[in-house]
Amino acid sequence: MAIEQQKASMEVLEVCKIAPSPSPSTDLSLPLTFLDLVLFVSPPTERILFYSFPQNELLLQFDSILQNLKHSLSLTLSHFLPLAGNLVWPNHSPHPFILYKPGDSVSLTIAKTDADFNHLSSNHLRKANQSHFLVPQLPMSHTIAPSMSLQITLFPNSGFSIAITTNHVVADGKTSTMFLKSWASLSKANNSHLPTPVFDRAAANNHPINGLQSLFNKHFKTFIPNPKKLGLPPRVAISDDVISGTFELTSADIENLRRKVKEICPSIPHLTTFVLTFAHVSTCIVKSQQIEGDSKIALTFIVDWRPRVETLGGVNYFGNGVSGYTMFLKGREFEEENAMVMVSKKVSEGITEIKEKSLVEMLEENVRRWGKEMPIDKAIVVGGSPRFGVYDIDFGWGGCKKVEMASITPSGCFSMAESRNGNGGVELGISLPENVMNVFSSLFLDGLK
């Protein structure tokens, strides 16, 4: 496998602060819920959107495009005030919280690079850290951490990228995608279908059925053991031997996987595109890393509770409306020929359990399982979702050529999005050491035959 190596330079043209417009005259503060609390162990989330543009039009129009993006960003932030604010922990407060104050703003970096746009926005394998210079930093201290930062990078001959770094304690993938789609809509001067973010935390925390506040109080010191310190993890450095790749499962591939599972276990319910994709990819990851039979492996997928819990305010709830569901397995279980079928069955059983239990019951059960199973030798988790519709984020010049989750690390994480081809398939992003990636690629393709 030949890995293309590209050297590039970048020039920062401008670093500006974009404030909400109109700006409210009063503060907006949001208490954290248990769903936010568990994300204190997660580093910031980084996503890059690549947009191609004809060269002869790009250089003529980039200044006007940039002014439009700044203006529409300011308008959008007035609907998403917490993203212009910070996660704070004042001395007088027993707990951290999200705070927007008049005058707060988002850092926006404007840059130019001579990097190969087509190389970075393609599906072929490359060094995972080659795109990281396109991602803005999210500076933080023990008492304050910005919610979000942005970077727009011009590739003079091909297009540009828009990168977003979000503090995971403040917002999950659903919330950041809702923000990006609103920004894109206002960029096209179309505000007729803007979603209205729901900021109400009182209902989420205090409703007797939900009971998230009691979980927050009970487990606060578990996730934040050091008092008065935010202690958010920094960006994870990726070494040069880590390879990034994008793989696709077409609708025909998914149907083939479904047929193979049903031939062995015809009664498994919930054989959705997500279940089959998660089972296939996680199985290939474990097998490619040749994990020992006695090793304990945690497979985690994300559950969006917004459609299930009315007290979260519905699908437009702002913040973290998700939790992880984890299955614990032994390495030897993946040595079997039909390991992918076994994982599909485990995921299906998990979905059945999720549907039968309340949010609080499920969260308590997950914490109990982790406490019982620790320590874990290997953790695999999926980020993103085909339901986000990231390839529909159109600022006025068409959809993305490529969306990359730059925060995916080689520890066992992978990302999932809808196929950019609009064929009902799924696109997967993964980073692995080069020798492991060779094996993973082979297993991934062989499993589809």
Side-chain angles (χ1 to χ4, degrees):
M1 176 180 60
I3 304 301
E4 290 191 43
Q5 299 187 31
Q6 300 279 332
K7 291 185 178 180
S9 63
M10 184 182 76
E11 177 187 0
V12 175
L13 304 176
E14 180 185 6
V15 178
C16 53
K17 300 292 186 180
I18 305 296
S21 177
S23 176
S25 58
T26 57
D27 295 357
L28 172 64
S29 64
L30 299 177
L32 302 184
T33 76
F34 179 78
L35 295 174
D36 305 316
L37 181 65
V38 298
L39 273 308
F40 267 84
V41 298
S42 296
T45 302
E46 303 167 343
R47 199 185 311 183
I48 309 171
L49 289 71
F50 293 91
Y51 290 93
S52 58
F53 219 89
Q55 179 183 0
N56 57 338
E57 296 181 26
L58 178 60
L59 297 179
L60 291 174
Q61 298 184 34
F62 186 68
D63 286 343
S64 62
I65 289 173
L66 192 57
Q67 292 307 311
N68 178 45
L69 286 173
K70 289 180 179 180
H71 176 66
S72 56
L73 173 59
S74 179
L75 296 177
T76 309
L77 288 172
S78 68
H79 299 276
F80 292 83
L81 291 175
L83 291 181
N86 299 277
L87 180 67
V88 301
W89 199 344
N91 290 330
H92 61 78
S93 175
H95 300 135
F97 57 94
I98 302 166
L99 176 66
Y100 168 80
K101 298 192 300 183
D104 283 348
S105 59
V106 169
S107 174
L108 172 63
T109 299
I110 311 299
K112 181 173 68 172
T113 182
D114 60 359
D116 187 332
F117 178 87
N118 292 322
H119 172 72
L120 293 179
S121 61
S122 68
N123 280 359
H124 63 234
L125 300 177
R126 58 173 171 79
K127 290 190 175 184
N129 57 18
Q130 283 186 341
S131 62
H132 286 190
F133 73 99
L134 301 173
V135 178
Q137 295 293 310
L138 196 65
M140 56 189 70
S141 69
H142 289 320
T143 58
I144 187 169
S147 299
M148 177 180 72
S149 60
L150 298 162
Q151 179 173 323
I152 300 171
T153 306
L154 171 66
F155 296 75
N157 297 323
S158 308
F160 50 90
S161 63
I162 298 175
I164 176 172
T165 301
T166 49
N167 186 330
H168 212 329
V169 180
V170 176
D172 61 14
K174 177 69 178 291
T175 292
S176 65
T177 302
M178 180 168 57
F179 160 76
L180 286 170
K181 288 186 174 182
S182 295
W183 182 14
S185 182
L186 286 172
S187 174
K188 294 191 295 184
N190 176 17
N191 58 5
S192 58
H193 300 292
L194 287 183
T196 302
V198 176
F199 299 120
D200 182 16
R201 301 296 175 92
N205 274 333
N206 299 326
H207 195 283
I209 296 177
N210 207 0
L212 287 178
Q213 185 64 52
S214 62
L215 287 180
F216 182 95
N217 295 332
K218 180 178 179 180
H219 297 289
F220 180 78
K221 291 187 177 180
T222 301
F223 293 97
I224 312 181
N226 296 320
K228 297 300 179 186
K229 289 185 179 181
L230 291 178
L232 302 179
R235 171 194 281 185
V236 177
I238 304 297
S239 61
D240 282 343
D241 67 337
V242 174
I243 304 303
S244 174
T246 301
F247 297 81
E248 185 177 2
L249 288 173
T250 66
S251 55
D253 292 330
I254 294 164
E255 189 55 42
N256 186 34
L257 290 174
R258 183 177 290 112
R259 188 183 310 111
K260 291 170 67 173
V261 172
K262 286 187 173 182
E263 285 176 357
I264 299 169
C265 289
S267 61
I268 298 180
H270 312 303
L271 287 181
T272 62
T273 295
F274 175 85
V275 170
L276 294 164
T277 302
F278 179 80
H280 178 55
V281 177
S282 58
T283 301
C284 291
I285 291 175
V286 175
K287 287 187 173 183
S288 66
Q289 297 187 347
Q290 300 179 343
I291 296 173
E292 294 183 359
D294 288 334
S295 297
K296 193 176 294 183
I297 302 169
L299 297 184
T300 301
F301 63 89
I302 306 302
V303 182
D304 186 359
W305 290 97
R306 290 172 174 88
R308 298 173 173 85
V309 183
E310 291 183 0
T311 51
L312 284 183
V315 294
N316 290 341
Y317 174 79
F318 179 98
N320 286 288
V322 301
S323 70
Y325 181 92
T326 304
M327 303 155 289
F328 298 93
L329 301 97
K330 289 288 190 178
R332 66 175 59 90
E333 296 182 71
F334 291 87
E335 297 171 1
E336 302 295 328
E337 180 181 358
N338 296 317
M340 181 265 178
V341 178
M342 176 271 297
V343 176
S344 297
K345 186 173 184 295
K346 293 279 188 182
V347 176
S348 178
E349 291 170 350
I351 292 174
T352 298
E353 182 181 10
I354 291 164
K355 290 184 175 182
E356 293 175 348
K357 291 185 177 180
S358 70
L359 169 60
V360 171
E361 288 175 323
M362 201 67 259
L363 293 175
E364 282 276 39
E365 179 64 18
N366 208 43
V367 172
R368 185 193 67 78
R369 287 173 181 167
W370 272 100
K372 177 183 177 182
E373 298 288 345
M374 290 294 286
I376 300 298
D377 298 298
K378 180 69 178 179
I380 296 174
V381 62
V382 59
S385 170
R387 295 183 178 182
F388 286 171
V390 291
Y391 282 102
D392 294 332
I393 301 175
D394 178 2
F395 286 84
W397 48 81
C400 314
K401 179 182 179 183
K402 174 73 178 292
V403 177
E404 175 187 345
M405 282 193 68
S407 49
I408 291 296
T409 67
S411 60
C413 301
F414 65 97
S415 66
M416 196 181 296
E418 80 280 9
S419 171
R420 78 185 83 173
N421 298 321
N423 58 10
V426 179
E427 188 174 286
L428 309 151
I430 188 168
S431 295
L432 295 168
E434 184 172 354
N435 61 325
V436 178
M437 182 65 86
N438 283 325
V439 181
F440 174 86
S441 300
S442 177
L443 291 169
F444 182 88
L445 295 174
D446 287 346
L448 302 179
K449 294 178 180 178

